[in-house]
Amino acid sequence: MENRPLGNTGLNVSEIGFGCGNVGGLMIRGEHSDQVRAVARAMDLGINYFDTASSYGNGQSETNLGRVLKELAADVYVGTKFRVTTHQPGQIKGNVIASVEDSLGRLQREQVDLIQMHNHVETVGEGGSVSPEEALGEVVDALQELRQQGKVRFWGMTAVGEAAALHHIIGSRALNTIQSVYNLINPSAGYTVPAGFDMPDYGNQIGLASANGMGVLVIRVLAAGALSGEDARHPVAVPSVAPIGSGRDYGQDQTRAEEFRFLVQEGHTTSLVEASLRFALNNPGVSSVLVGYSSMEHLEQAVQYASKGPLPPEVLARLPEAWAGFTG
């Protein structure tokens, strides 16, 4: 397993990370013994970054991960996330601090290496979204206070929402990392997409983040399973998944995934999963690709595929042909 710099943090993280979310489901609905075996094997394989969130299983993922890491006396990097649940001026800071402290309790840790805002970002913050002004104001104030208290080391955000608002925050250099939706179906976080592209256009946020010294953690690399090439879902995986950053529904994502079947048919990769992981790792701005696991087999495969290195340039050159058809 190769390691890559997490931006300018000084941390070097494994190029494949361990996602503890709802899609794969292992760290939420899996048996404790399976969770222990998977985490131990991940460390044996060189995975050193584990990513969870307060919202995964309503805190169950944090609780399970914390229990397993303590049982294994694991020396790894841990990242989790919080959601801002108020827009009331003067209350956002306290809202963030309380959420992070609750996460630390569930994780049984005094400190996390990375804390990340999990809200969508929009020019005007309303509902469950956060505005750049809120993020760069009270949210950052809260994170700075938490760092002074030794409870967090670095911070970032899930970079989903309105591209201009996201770019504003990234350009401020107030954060250390972003989590970026980046996959074969929607490559806009790392590529210029064609006019009329009918999915969110993230405007090469990976390049912008890298230029500003930020680490990039790729999420939804398999479009929640649409790029697995299989209809069946593992028993511990979430039964149905709404797209984030890609098509209008999961069925459309599956249809569009077939546009990349030539990578397998022509022998460039052994599966769409391999193609997806190696595609994301092609981008030099990517620090780690987070994969959600349902089984040990998924874990072993992800590490094996990553070891094959990036896709060849001549293969990458053919991908825009498929993206040209993803228009309204």
Side-chain angles (χ1 to χ4, degrees):
M1 174 67 64
E2 298 291 332
N3 288 346
R4 298 186 178 195
L6 186 63
N8 290 340
T9 64
L11 306 184
N12 290 306
V13 293
S14 50
E15 61 183 7
I16 296 293
F18 196 113
C20 302
N22 197 39
V23 175
L26 176 62
M27 296 305 295
I28 298 175
R29 292 175 293 275
E31 295 292 332
H32 175 68
S33 59
D34 292 335
Q35 294 170 351
V36 173
R37 288 175 56 244
V39 171
R41 180 58 178 155
M43 292 190 296
D44 287 343
L45 292 168
I47 292 175
N48 69 359
Y49 178 72
F50 291 76
D51 189 88
T52 183
S54 60
S55 63
Y56 295 164
N58 293 318
Q60 193 62 50
S61 174
E62 289 181 325
T63 298
N64 292 341
L65 178 62
R67 180 187 301 125
V68 171
L69 293 179
K70 186 174 183 179
E71 185 174 329
L72 295 172
D75 182 15
V76 295
Y77 299 127
V78 175
T80 191
K81 309 177 194 74
F82 63 87
R83 289 190 189 276
V84 177
T85 59
T86 179
H87 294 285
Q88 187 66 34
Q91 295 185 13
I92 296 174
K93 180 178 178 180
N95 180 242
V96 172
I97 290 174
S99 178
V100 174
E101 290 178 339
D102 286 345
S103 289
L104 289 171
R106 287 188 289 268
L107 285 163
Q108 301 182 63
R109 300 177 74 89
E110 295 182 356
Q111 181 188 73
V112 289
D113 301 286
L114 180 62
I115 189 71
Q116 300 150 102
M117 186 177 73
H118 210 186
N119 302 73
H120 282 220
V121 175
E122 306 288 344
T123 300
V124 177
E126 56 186 5
S129 66
V130 169
S131 70
E133 290 72 26
E134 290 170 328
L136 297 174
E138 287 193 58
V139 172
V140 169
D141 287 347
L143 299 177
Q144 289 175 334
E145 183 169 316
L146 287 163
R147 182 160 66 182
Q148 290 168 359
Q149 295 172 354
K151 296 176 180 178
V152 304
R153 297 179 66 189
F154 303 102
W155 55 74
M157 68 175 176
T158 301
V160 175
E162 186 180 328
L166 293 166
H167 282 210
H168 178 73
I169 296 177
I170 294 169
S172 74
R173 300 193 177 191
L175 278 66
N176 303 114
T177 67
I178 62 169
Q179 292 207 340
S180 185
V181 173
Y182 185 52
N183 56 51
L184 282 169
I185 295 172
N186 185 350
S188 66
Y191 280 82
T192 300
V193 292
F197 191 69
D198 64 0
M199 291 175 279
D201 182 356
Y202 291 113
N204 192 21
Q205 63 178 216
I206 294 175
L208 181 61
S210 181
N212 282 283
M214 298 173 69
V216 177
L217 305 169
V218 169
I219 58 175
R220 292 275 169 146
V221 68
L222 300 180
L227 279 160
S228 70
E230 300 178 3
D231 290 327
R233 300 186 72 83
H234 192 279
V236 304
V238 67
S240 60
V241 184
I244 295 178
S246 46
R248 65 174 179 268
D249 54 46
Y250 188 75
Q252 185 184 69
D253 280 357
Q254 286 185 302
T255 298
R256 290 183 170 184
E258 290 302 310
E259 295 296 321
F260 307 99
R261 183 68 66 179
F262 75 91
L263 295 169
V264 180
Q265 293 170 340
E266 296 179 9
H268 302 295
T269 65
T270 61
S271 68
L272 283 178
V273 174
E274 178 186 330
S276 302
L277 293 179
R278 293 175 65 192
F279 165 74
L281 290 170
N282 268 90
N283 193 315
V286 168
S287 304
S288 184
V289 177
L290 303 183
V291 181
Y293 307 104
S294 301
S295 68
M296 290 286 285
E297 180 185 9
H298 293 166
L299 171 64
E300 299 279 355
Q301 283 182 342
V303 175
Q304 177 190 359
Y305 294 152
S307 70
K308 296 184 178 183
L311 294 173
E314 61 271 21
V315 173
L316 292 176
R318 295 175 57 186
L319 299 180
E321 297 175 24
W323 299 331
F326 298 166
T327 57

